Amino acid sequence: TSPSLLLSSSSVGIDNFVLTPSVNLQAKRDIWVWGSPPSSSGNRRGFADAVVDNEHPHESHWAQFPMAPPDPIIGLTEAYLNDDFPDKVNVGVGAYRCDQGMPFVLPVVREAENELVAEELDHEYSGIAGCPNFVDVALKFAYGEDCVPLNENRVAGVQTLSGTGGLRVFGEVLHQFGHKHIYVPGPTWGNHIPIFTNAGLEVRKYRYYDNATCNLDFSGLIDDLRAVPEGSCVLLHACAHNPTGMDPTMEQWKQISNVAKERHLLPFFDCAYQGFASGDARKDAAAIRMFVEDGHNIALVQSFSKNFGLYGQRVGALSVVADTQDEAKRVLSQLKVHIRPSYSNPPRHGARIVSKILSNEKKTDEFVEQCMGMAKRINSMRIKLRNTLEELGSSRSWEHITKQIGMFAYSGMSKDEVVALREKHHIYCTLDGRISMAVSAWLWRYDYFHLLICMILSVPCQLFQGVTSKNVEYIARAIYDVTEGK
């Protein structure tokens, strides 16, 4: 049962509503009553008293709302769009683009979508746990078809609103069942912190990346994991760590698994780039499968935004490995309890696309081939960027750019250098120096349509670009300029 919204008045009258905690005994969680604490003047302001406050009879219900700070990525894009420099470049976009800088749809996704349209399917609700066939193929995609817990029905799985929704649901479940904190790598995807904070968890960090060497701080990572409280939940990036692109080797993953077992830690994998990172879906899932084989009852969230290019469809899955079938059923029931009052049930269209592809051997082979093409193209941009910087005579080592994998290059530029890159050369990346390498040499009919729209609206094609074959040299020269002071 979801918590109900309660209104409670103080002893002095209905116009003094306050925000007070109450407890929903069925849900076993704190809930809050609308209103606000007393101000310095002693007046309490809130939604309820906004209606009856004689001092402000015409004030809007929303008058006390402060302006929230802008999202860093959205703010970056807005600044880019407002820049009238003709050769501006946006390398902050966390989405794959063709070499013309336009959105890219995998041909196998377009094929599956056309088949679904021809089938004239209904638009009924899915269940709380989502589309069963999608959950089945999603779990096999990550865990492998020979996974023992999967074949013994010991894995509880649900469809979620991409990876973000799965992270929030599991964060709430952790909080409800006694976890007070979660450990995330430093740095990590920026949204991890507010997601888990809003789920009621204290977010703590363990060392992961050494900015001085532009490399994995493995000794710091191991030392920190050994020091966390026993039984803690630890978030791990399954592959293509965001934002650094620097992953542990399989030998290092084995050591992490051993420490997690020693400390009885709960490994929680965030898998957002399977197949997209290296081009090999099995290789990208190797850490997940190793931990399961080592006997960990892991939790896993999957996103199908990047690897299938289904950004706007919000396709994801959340799963938990249990000891027994009965335990898996109980875990599943709790996942559903948290999904129901949050978004009730997930959308079907994107899940049907993934199901149609991964349920068909031919389409799966096409998907693997196209994923490999994207991964190779990104790697070629990494090599070109590094080589150009070295040819320019940079005094810095740029080896880390080609050691990293995935969508982003963690450049190692300082905040001041990033600002100079924007102000002097009109190149927009996040303040931590993260650069999107996601481009493609392929251009299909869908992209030509968008190019036509850009021409009609007189919008430059750079609107959606990342690093492309046409701008990589310009980007390299600009980076050289701000890092060498020349």
Side-chain angles (χ1 to χ4, degrees):
T1 305
S2 60
S4 57
L5 182 63
L6 305 177
L7 284 174
S8 171
S9 63
S10 71
S11 59
V12 295
I14 195 170
D15 60 333
N16 285 312
F17 281 116
V18 295
L19 187 62
T20 56
S22 182
V23 177
N24 183 310
L25 296 179
Q26 288 180 303
K28 295 183 179 179
R29 61 193 297 187
D30 288 344
I31 55 180
W32 289 85
V33 179
W34 283 118
S36 62
S39 65
S40 58
S41 63
N43 295 324
R44 293 182 174 93
R45 304 289 298 138
F47 283 122
D49 63 334
V51 180
V52 296
D53 189 343
N54 292 328
E55 295 180 7
H56 304 83
H58 304 297
E59 189 175 63
S60 165
H61 292 290
W62 326 117
Q64 302 301 314
F65 274 40
M67 178 62 71
D71 180 90
I73 300 297
I74 301 300
L76 184 73
T77 301
E78 288 176 352
Y80 168 78
L81 293 174
N82 290 328
D83 188 337
D84 57 5
F85 186 70
D87 295 322
K88 62 184 179 179
V89 182
N90 185 1
V91 289
V93 178
Y96 194 77
R97 297 291 181 251
C98 72
D99 205 41
Q100 282 68 33
M102 303 305 296
F104 173 71
V105 178
L106 274 68
V108 69
V109 166
R110 182 64 75 208
E111 178 186 350
E113 191 171 37
N114 289 337
E115 290 179 9
L116 288 170
V117 171
E119 291 173 17
E120 297 184 346
L121 300 172
D122 62 55
H123 295 283
E124 289 294 300
Y125 289 122
S126 65
I128 297 174
C131 303
N133 186 55
F134 163 75
V135 174
D136 180 56
V137 297
L139 300 192
K140 288 178 181 177
F141 184 61
Y143 292 99
E145 297 202 10
D146 58 349
C147 173
V148 174
L150 200 58
N151 292 326
E152 293 179 349
N153 297 316
R154 292 194 284 114
V155 182
V158 294
Q159 180 186 340
T160 59
L161 300 183
S162 197
T164 303
L167 290 163
R168 176 58 186 262
V169 169
F170 193 65
E172 291 183 3
V173 171
L174 286 174
H175 182 250
Q176 180 178 350
F177 287 92
H179 283 263
K180 303 300 182 185
H181 53 259
I182 185 170
Y183 285 82
V184 303
T188 192
W189 179 45
N191 213 19
H192 279 146
I193 296 171
I195 287 172
F196 293 128
T197 299
N198 290 348
L201 298 171
E202 176 193 347
V203 180
R204 302 177 180 176
K205 290 186 178 180
Y206 60 88
R207 282 174 285 178
Y208 187 86
Y209 190 78
D210 185 347
N211 287 305
T213 63
C214 294
N215 210 338
L216 183 70
D217 182 4
F218 187 67
S219 61
L221 183 157
I222 290 295
D223 288 345
D224 284 356
L225 291 187
R226 285 197 172 114
V228 305
E230 187 172 334
S232 297
C233 183
V234 177
L235 183 78
L236 303 165
H237 295 227
C239 61
H241 177 273
N242 182 1
T244 71
M246 195 69 72
D247 291 348
T249 64
M250 291 311 298
E251 292 76 16
Q252 290 172 330
W253 274 121
K254 186 66 176 178
Q255 293 182 58
I256 296 171
S257 173
N258 291 340
V259 171
K261 188 171 291 186
E262 292 169 8
R263 301 295 300 157
H264 191 54
L265 304 179
L266 168 55
F268 180 22
F269 281 93
D270 185 351
C271 185
Y273 302 98
Q274 186 184 353
F276 185 87
S278 69
D280 184 338
R282 288 169 297 185
K283 181 179 179 181
D284 292 344
I288 295 169
R289 298 178 186 186
M290 173 193 287
F291 272 64
V292 174
E293 290 171 2
D294 286 348
H296 294 280
N297 286 353
I298 72 166
L300 166 69
V301 64
Q302 298 166 262
S303 169
F304 293 84
S305 295
K306 306 297 193 300
N307 50 4
F308 280 77
L310 295 170
Y311 304 97
Q313 298 297 336
R314 314 310 295 144
V315 188
L318 170 64
S319 56
V320 175
V321 177
D323 273 341
T324 65
Q325 288 187 28
D326 179 67
E327 186 175 270
K329 290 178 181 178
R330 286 184 277 117
V331 171
L332 178 61
S333 73
Q334 292 297 332
L335 298 180
K336 291 164 70 175
V337 162
H338 281 267
I339 289 172
R340 176 58 173 159
S342 178
Y343 54 85
S344 194
N345 43 58
R348 303 182 74 178
H349 185 65
R352 284 169 166 169
I353 292 173
V354 174
S355 297
K356 183 168 279 291
I357 293 170
L358 294 183
S359 298
N360 181 284
E361 185 176 354
K362 179 177 177 293
K363 286 185 172 61
T364 300
D365 289 343
E366 291 174 0
F367 163 74
V368 170
E369 180 183 354
Q370 290 161 24
C371 257
M372 179 62 76
M374 290 191 290
K376 286 182 176 179
R377 184 62 185 174
I378 290 174
N379 192 50
S380 73
M381 289 296 99
R382 290 184 180 278
I383 293 170
K384 178 65 174 176
L385 181 61
R386 175 187 171 182
N387 288 348
T388 304
L389 283 163
E390 291 174 346
E391 289 168 2
L392 289 169
S394 176
S395 61
R396 296 189 183 185
S397 170
W398 298 98
E399 180 185 7
H400 56 281
I401 290 179
T402 51
K403 287 177 65 178
Q404 298 164 358
I405 66 169
M407 180 172 287
F408 304 109
Y410 207 53
S411 66
M413 287 188 292
S414 68
K415 180 179 178 179
D416 289 342
E417 289 167 343
V418 169
V419 171
L421 194 70
R422 185 185 310 176
E423 293 179 349
K424 292 181 64 177
H425 301 283
H426 306 268
I427 297 174
Y428 292 77
C429 70
T430 54
L431 291 176
D432 59 3
R434 190 194 75 172
I435 295 173
S436 174
M437 306 298 299
V439 298
S440 167
W442 298 330
L443 187 66
W444 303 88
R445 286 184 300 172
Y446 176 79
D447 302 306
Y448 280 119
F449 172 76
H450 278 79
L451 286 171
L452 178 61
I453 294 297
C454 287
M455 292 171 62
I456 293 172
L457 298 178
S458 298
V459 176
C461 293
Q462 300 100 305
L463 180 60
F464 303 107
Q465 68 184 343
V467 179
T468 72
S469 60
K470 297 177 178 61
N471 65 26
V472 63
E473 186 171 340
Y474 175 74
I475 293 171
R477 289 184 178 278
I479 292 174
Y480 175 75
D481 176 66
V482 300
T483 56
E484 299 291 329
K486 300 176 181 178

